[in-house]
Amino acid sequence: MSKFTVRCYKVAVWLVGVGVAIASIGVAVSSVLSAKTRTEDDHVFRLRLNGRL
């Protein structure tokens, strides 16, 4: 029984680690994408202010 419990614990710890890694990667990708779109929107906004668009 104890071996089974240890195995379940290891699997749970591994799943949590993988989940944290996926979450951190997702947060990094979303922040990069939002920063990219934000700068593009600012560029378009400045062009509109200058009356070029």
Side-chain angles (χ1 to χ4, degrees), residues 5-21:
T5 311
V6 167
R7 188 177 290 165
C8 284
Y9 180 72
K10 282 181 180 173
V11 168
V13 167
W14 184 81
L15 283 176
V16 167
V18 168
V20 167

Side-chain angles (χ1 to χ4, degrees), residues 3-38:
K3 256 187 188 176
F4 181 72
T5 311
V6 167
R7 188 177 290 165
C8 284
Y9 180 72
K10 282 181 180 173
V11 168
V13 167
W14 184 81
L15 283 176
V16 167
V18 168
V20 167
I22 289 173
S24 60
I25 289 170
V27 166
V29 167
S30 66
S31 66
V32 164
L33 286 179
S34 67
K36 198 175 184 183
T37 53
R38 197 179 303 132

Side-chain angles (χ1 to χ4, degrees), residues 8 10 19 21 24 32 38-39 41-44 46 50 52:
C8 284
K10 282 181 180 173
S24 60
V32 164
R38 197 179 303 132
T39 51
D41 288 349
D42 285 351
H43 190 61
V44 168
R46 286 197 194 109
N50 292 340
R52 291 185 188 160

